[in-house]
Amino acid sequence: MPLTTTQRQEMLRQAKAVLDSNWREGYTVPGAALYPFQWNWDSGFIALGYSHYDLGRAKQEIRSLFKGQWQNGLLPHIVFHVENDNYFPGPEIWQTEITPRAPRKPRTSGIIQPPIIGFILEVMYQKSAVKRDILAFAEELFPQVLRFHRYLYTCRDIHREGLVYIQHNWESGMDNSPTWDTVLAKIDAEDDRSIASSRRDLQQVDRSQRPSDVEYQKYLHLVDLFMQCKYEDKCIAESCPFLVQDPFLNSLLIRSNQALINLAILLGQNASELKDWNETSIRAMNTKLWNARNHSYDALDLTTGERITTSTSPAMIGPLFARVPSESQAHLIVERLRGSFARDGFYLCPTVMPEQNEFEPQRYWRGPVWININWLLFHGLRQYGFERFAKRVADDSLVLVQKYGFHEYFDPRKGAGGGYGASGFSWTAALIIDWLA
Ligand code: DGY
């Protein structure tokens, strides 16, 4: 049942209250206890939420994120604006001071996250009543966002084919997605230090909803390797067992390139570099990563040359959002989503197919519904004219939040579930604000 006007107003009030309580003088923590710093792609979605009612905060959020940008353009996945012992791995583990390219203050992590600031700026511009103000802000941010994209195409696209690689599953934003299982299986981290007692997340959230200790050990093994390489991309590319071309991250990059191109036109700036990158990337997505049998896009393990054919919904949703597939490809993808993910008894959209062995409805990125993925799906579907399906995605998202609150992720099984991970999660609140607006 769709929400009543009163329910929508109340939800909007609560969503703003979540963002207010997570605001920390200049930036917003994703979740007060579990994530006490600033996260890269979280901030993009959060800024979009603020832009509907407090443009000042939206701008501050993005400016604060770019305080962490490295000299080579890398925009780190976490910016540690303050000290806080409640998160692991904190700045003392990343030790980014070993490279002169990282800022000394604020300290940061040493990896990226999906590049969404480009398209967030454009969406803010499209939805705003004060377009000149947003355009001036976009002009201010443009060189920094462009530097991030240039870093990706220069340092993370070894074959110069328009597909950037990730060197850690955390870079994808989808930490323990089954997509990474075969890649992580190659890493033997048994002799590494045990990190079970260091983990802070398990003090907040039940173990069944988070990655396992063995997985964490591998995640940390990769961080050790980056430090041994002193965060030099060349060294990492030569020695890292995790080098993956991920269709989701590449799609969000493509969408952000397109947004910068559109903004450049409005700003009277040259966008030829962006256009070249984008044409090459879209072509590579459709030739190299498209899986014509599964009607999905595969990730590719660059260390073995093998395709990773595990189908997750984000690998279909990212490309739809970025308008990577042709009309006929899009129809095939949507048919697949309808048949395999939008099943009776499930809320849209499980991140992993419910019939798949890897499906775990409570465990983080191995099945639960995430509101940011639903938001991308909603917009992706509408671009290809699937209005009714898009409406189901929006309705399910609102119902989940109405029933269970502003959680980080939700059990996709109707009647069985609830909300998991952090409660009072910022991007859930921010994207609900965007939907209700
Ligand atoms: C975490 O700590 O769970 C984050 O997702 C890593 O960035």
Side-chain angles (χ1 to χ4, degrees):
M1 275 251 291
L3 304 187
T4 63
T5 308
T6 318
Q7 282 173 322
R8 291 166 80 95
Q9 281 167 351
E10 176 55 16
M11 194 183 271
L12 193 56
R13 191 194 63 73
Q14 288 175 9
K16 289 180 184 174
V18 169
L19 290 188
D20 277 350
S21 72
N22 288 341
W23 174 252
R24 301 280 182 278
E25 294 310 310
Y27 67 97
T28 309
V29 297
L34 199 54
Y35 306 110
F37 306 107
Q38 183 173 29
W39 262 259
N40 181 335
W41 73 325
D42 293 72
S43 275
F45 292 121
I46 291 165
L48 177 60
Y50 282 134
S51 71
H52 291 286
Y53 67 102
D54 189 339
L55 197 50
R57 274 197 188 175
K59 290 181 191 171
Q60 261 184 293
E61 182 76 36
I62 297 179
R63 286 190 184 118
S64 296
L65 178 67
F66 277 92
K67 284 189 185 153
Q69 186 165 32
W70 290 22
Q71 272 171 20
N72 60 352
L74 181 151
L75 190 64
H77 99 298
I78 307 177
V79 184
F80 302 109
H81 292 287
V82 288
E83 291 189 12
N84 190 314
D85 290 338
N86 284 338
Y87 179 79
F88 176 85
E92 66 293 343
I93 300 292
W94 290 97
Q95 289 182 36
T96 51
E97 56 278 5
I98 60 176
T99 165
R101 288 186 302 280
R104 293 289 164 272
K105 206 171 178 285
R107 295 175 85 186
T108 72
S109 71
I111 57 171
I112 59 159
Q113 252 183 347
I116 73 165
I117 300 299
F119 74 72
I120 289 293
L121 289 173
E122 191 190 18
V123 177
M124 275 166 58
Y125 172 78
Q126 287 163 343
K127 296 193 172 185
S128 172
V130 285
K131 294 207 187 302
R132 280 174 59 172
D133 192 339
I134 307 264
L135 204 54
F137 181 59
E139 186 167 27
E140 173 195 323
L141 262 292
F142 195 93
Q144 286 157 281
V145 185
L146 185 63
R147 265 188 346 109
F148 180 31
H149 290 209
R150 196 174 288 136
Y151 161 76
L152 295 173
Y153 282 108
T154 312
C155 301
R156 298 292 193 96
D157 180 14
I158 13 180
H159 301 311
R160 296 284 174 266
E161 58 185 337
L163 294 172
V164 310
Y165 68 75
I166 53 171
Q167 62 198 32
H168 197 294
N169 47 298
W170 279 337
E171 294 201 310
S172 71
M174 299 177 296
D175 304 7
N176 66 342
S177 163
T179 310
W180 322 127
D181 288 0
T182 52
V183 187
L184 291 171
K186 292 182 302 187
I187 300 174
D188 178 11
E190 257 177 43
D191 294 338
D192 291 15
R193 64 186 183 281
S194 163
I195 46 88
S197 57
S198 308
R199 287 182 68 177
R200 298 284 181 275
D201 55 327
L202 300 180
Q203 291 165 4
Q204 326 279 343
V205 174
D206 192 82
R207 203 169 250 292
S208 61
Q209 299 166 25
R210 295 284 301 175
S212 69
D213 286 341
V214 175
E215 284 167 323
Y216 250 82
Q217 212 141 319
K218 296 180 181 203
Y219 303 170
L220 268 294
H221 179 88
L222 290 171
V223 174
D224 280 344
L225 184 144
F226 304 152
M227 282 193 304
Q228 280 159 27
C229 279
K230 297 198 164 38
Y231 292 99
E232 291 287 345
D233 291 298
K234 190 163 175 296
C235 169
I236 294 170
E238 282 164 3
S239 54
C240 185
F242 193 115
L243 289 182
V244 178
Q245 289 172 328
D246 169 28
F248 180 74
L249 182 134
N250 276 283
S251 294
L252 299 193
L253 174 60
I254 287 168
R255 181 63 191 83
S256 280
N257 285 334
Q258 189 57 53
L260 292 183
I261 293 167
N262 299 342
L263 289 168
I265 292 168
L266 292 168
L267 293 166
Q269 295 192 13
N270 185 331
S272 53
E273 186 182 25
L274 284 155
K275 283 184 189 156
D276 287 348
W277 289 335
N278 227 25
E279 278 163 23
T280 317
S281 292
I282 294 172
R283 201 174 325 118
M285 282 284 296
N286 283 325
T287 49
K288 195 172 175 192
L289 302 187
W290 171 243
N291 182 326
R293 240 181 57 192
N294 286 353
H295 302 164
S296 177
Y297 290 84
D298 292 336
L300 197 119
D301 181 342
L302 282 177
T303 69
T304 59
E306 279 166 21
R307 299 171 82 100
I308 304 169
T309 53
T310 316
S311 291
T312 64
S313 61
M316 302 174 202
I317 292 168
L320 276 182
F321 177 73
R323 265 200 158 280
V324 168
S326 64
E327 293 288 328
S328 57
Q329 283 171 304
H331 274 79
L332 294 172
I333 293 171
V334 171
E335 225 172 83
R336 176 90 204 280
L337 281 169
R338 278 210 181 98
S340 305
F341 292 84
R343 309 236 317 255
D344 280 351
F346 288 87
Y347 289 109
L348 284 166
C349 182
T351 34
V352 172
M353 257 190 326
E355 72 206 13
Q356 208 162 300
N357 288 341
E358 291 88 348
F359 175 68
E360 293 184 72
Q362 307 185 354
R363 201 185 287 283
Y364 214 31
W365 288 96
R366 298 182 80 85
V369 173
W370 286 75
I371 296 299
N372 66 333
I373 300 296
N374 273 8
W375 185 89
L376 295 170
L377 176 57
F378 172 79
H379 290 285
L381 289 171
R382 292 195 70 195
Q383 292 187 107
Y384 290 91
F386 297 100
E387 293 291 339
R388 279 188 34 216
F389 195 11
K391 185 170 180 315
R392 258 187 75 192
V393 177
D395 287 348
D396 279 9
S397 307
L398 294 175
V399 165
L400 280 167
V401 173
Q402 167 76 9
K403 266 180 177 254
Y404 303 114
F406 293 86
H407 280 276
E408 188 179 358
Y409 41 98
F410 299 88
D411 198 312
R413 296 167 301 171
K414 286 188 177 161
Y420 305 128
S423 55
F425 193 63
S426 295
W427 83 31
T428 303
L431 294 175
I432 290 293
I433 292 171
D434 185 64
W435 249 315
L436 293 176

